[in-house]
Amino acid sequence: MLALEKEGILIPSLCRSGECSMCRVKIVSGKVFQPAGVPVRKSDRKYGYVHSCVSYPLEDLEIVI
Ligand code: FES
C-alpha cells in the first residue's frame, strides 16, 4: 500500500493491519511478501487477492484495484 501511495494511488483502507479486507487488490502478475499470520480468506488466496496494507512487492506487479 505504501508503494502505491507513494505513486499517488490511494486504496480505500480502514484498519491498515490486515484485519478488515477493505484494501484488497487482485494480483494479476508478480509476487508479494505477506508476513506470517496475516489473516487472508481461503477464497481470497485461491483467487489471488491480497490485503495491500500488509503486502510488500517483491517485483513489479500488475494488480486490479
Ligand atoms: S486496511 Fe484493513 S485489511 Fe488492509
Side-chain angles (χ1 to χ4, degrees):
M1 177 173 275
L2 291 177
L4 293 167
E5 290 174 344
K6 281 183 180 178
E7 297 300 321
I9 301 168
L10 301 179
I11 306 288
S13 63
L14 189 59
C15 70
R16 298 180 77 96
S17 63
E19 299 289 333
C20 74
S21 298
M22 190 163 218
C23 66
R24 288 186 329 149
V25 299
K26 183 175 176 68
I27 304 291
V28 177
S29 66
K31 293 181 181 174
V32 297
F33 169 75
Q34 290 187 299
V38 169
V40 179
R41 296 182 198 139
K42 280 184 184 177
S43 59
D44 284 349
R45 195 178 314 275
K46 179 178 178 180
Y47 294 107
Y49 287 90
V50 298
H51 296 164
S52 62
C53 67
V54 288
S55 299
Y56 304 92
L58 296 174
E59 56 193 15
D60 288 343
L61 300 174
E62 183 180 355
I63 63 172
V64 177
I65 298 173

